[in-house]
Amino acid sequence: MSGQTEPPASPAVPSPGLEQIPAVFHDDIESVLIGADDIHRRLDELAAQVDVDYADRELLLVGVLKGAIFVMADVARRLTIPASMDFMAVSSYGSSTTSSGVVRILKDLDTEIEGRDVLIIEDIVDSGLTLDYLMKNLRSRKPASVEVLSLLTKPTRREIELPIRYVGFEVPDVFVVGFGLDFSESYRGLRSIVTLKPEVYAG
Ligand code: 5GP
């Protein structure tokens, strides 16, 4: 016996940003792409821009359920101009991770939008097919204007060029969850945008 003892194992170094995420999720998370503080700073900037652009206009925020709920809430409460809120729910035919562009409206607006300034609030624009359908659908109702605010965009995945007036962050071609975005209805409540370990998808 050498008489030497093994040094105590050093504690695992946590991935940057994990401290803002409840411990129960840590094992599922591969990386934190955008931390909560960065999201809030960016939403401050976007809401300030919306404030300026829509001053003296009658703004209607249209949130796309369910993913946009937190973006909607966080933008709406930052605005200093009056704004109404309404919601739509759409389902895109396609696999769980890709969109086909064939969209069914599960919940329509409660309000008429003719003559109103509409700002669609989205969580993420991926291929753009869902949003393209939504914009065409809303434009057919003769609003004064239709613009888009999306927390995230994946430009390399875009199949249709869309004018997204307010973009939070560009993300690479990876599946992300958090801040409203789910995988099988989980992880929506995370305050950060994260990627998941492959074994999470394997079930
Ligand atoms: P698109 O029609 O632009 O391809 O797809 C838009 C919808 O696909 C988004 O509203 C979202 O529901 C879903 N989606 C696209 N990329 C992601 C992603 O990285 N994570 C999650 N959770 N959903 C995504």
Side-chain angles (χ1 to χ4, degrees):
M1 285 191 36
S2 68
Q4 286 185 333
T5 53
E6 288 289 314
S10 52
V13 179
S15 303
L18 267 191
E19 66 283 351
Q20 288 181 316
I21 293 171
V24 70
F25 296 112
H26 286 188
D27 283 349
D28 295 351
I29 290 170
E30 188 171 69
S31 67
V32 178
L33 279 192
I34 310 167
D37 295 343
D38 290 338
I39 294 175
H40 285 289
R41 263 193 298 274
R42 186 71 185 125
L43 290 177
D44 285 343
E45 293 170 359
L46 293 182
Q49 194 58 53
V50 173
D51 262 344
V52 171
D53 294 348
Y54 288 89
D56 307 320
R57 288 160 74 184
E58 206 192 324
L59 179 59
L60 174 66
L61 304 173
V62 171
V64 184
L65 296 170
K66 302 173 194 170
I69 52 169
F70 295 115
V71 189
M72 178 74 150
D74 279 345
V75 168
R77 64 184 156 195
R78 281 167 165 79
L79 294 178
T80 62
I81 56 169
S84 312
M85 284 187 256
D86 205 342
F87 293 91
M88 286 183 86
V90 295
S91 108
S92 168
Y93 293 99
S95 73
S96 58
T97 53
T98 58
S99 160
S100 65
V102 183
V103 174
R104 191 158 55 109
I105 295 181
L106 303 177
K107 185 219 167 289
D108 206 342
L109 297 175
D110 296 329
T111 35
E112 301 289 328
I113 61 169
E114 187 170 345
R116 303 186 69 181
D117 289 302
V118 173
L119 180 58
I120 300 174
I121 308 287
E122 269 282 17
D123 47 3
I124 190 164
V125 183
D126 186 29
S127 69
L129 296 173
T130 307
L131 186 58
D132 181 59
Y133 170 87
L134 211 53
M135 290 184 81
K136 285 182 179 143
N137 182 292
L138 293 184
R139 282 203 182 107
S140 73
R141 306 181 198 192
K142 312 256 184 303
S145 66
V146 181
E147 301 287 352
V148 180
L149 181 154
S150 184
L151 177 65
L152 304 176
T153 176
K154 287 183 189 169
T156 58
R157 298 260 307 168
R158 199 74 89 251
E159 291 179 31
I160 293 184
E161 264 329 298
L162 287 173
I164 306 178
R165 181 142 180 196
Y166 309 95
V167 173
F169 301 91
E170 292 189 356
V171 289
D173 181 9
V174 289
F175 192 79
V176 296
V177 298
F179 216 87
L181 288 155
D182 75 311
F183 171 63
S184 288
E185 291 302 324
S186 291
Y187 311 105
R188 287 194 198 277
L190 299 184
R191 292 161 185 260
S192 307
I193 297 291
V194 308
T195 58
L196 299 172
K197 290 178 183 165
E199 56 262 34
V200 175
Y201 302 112

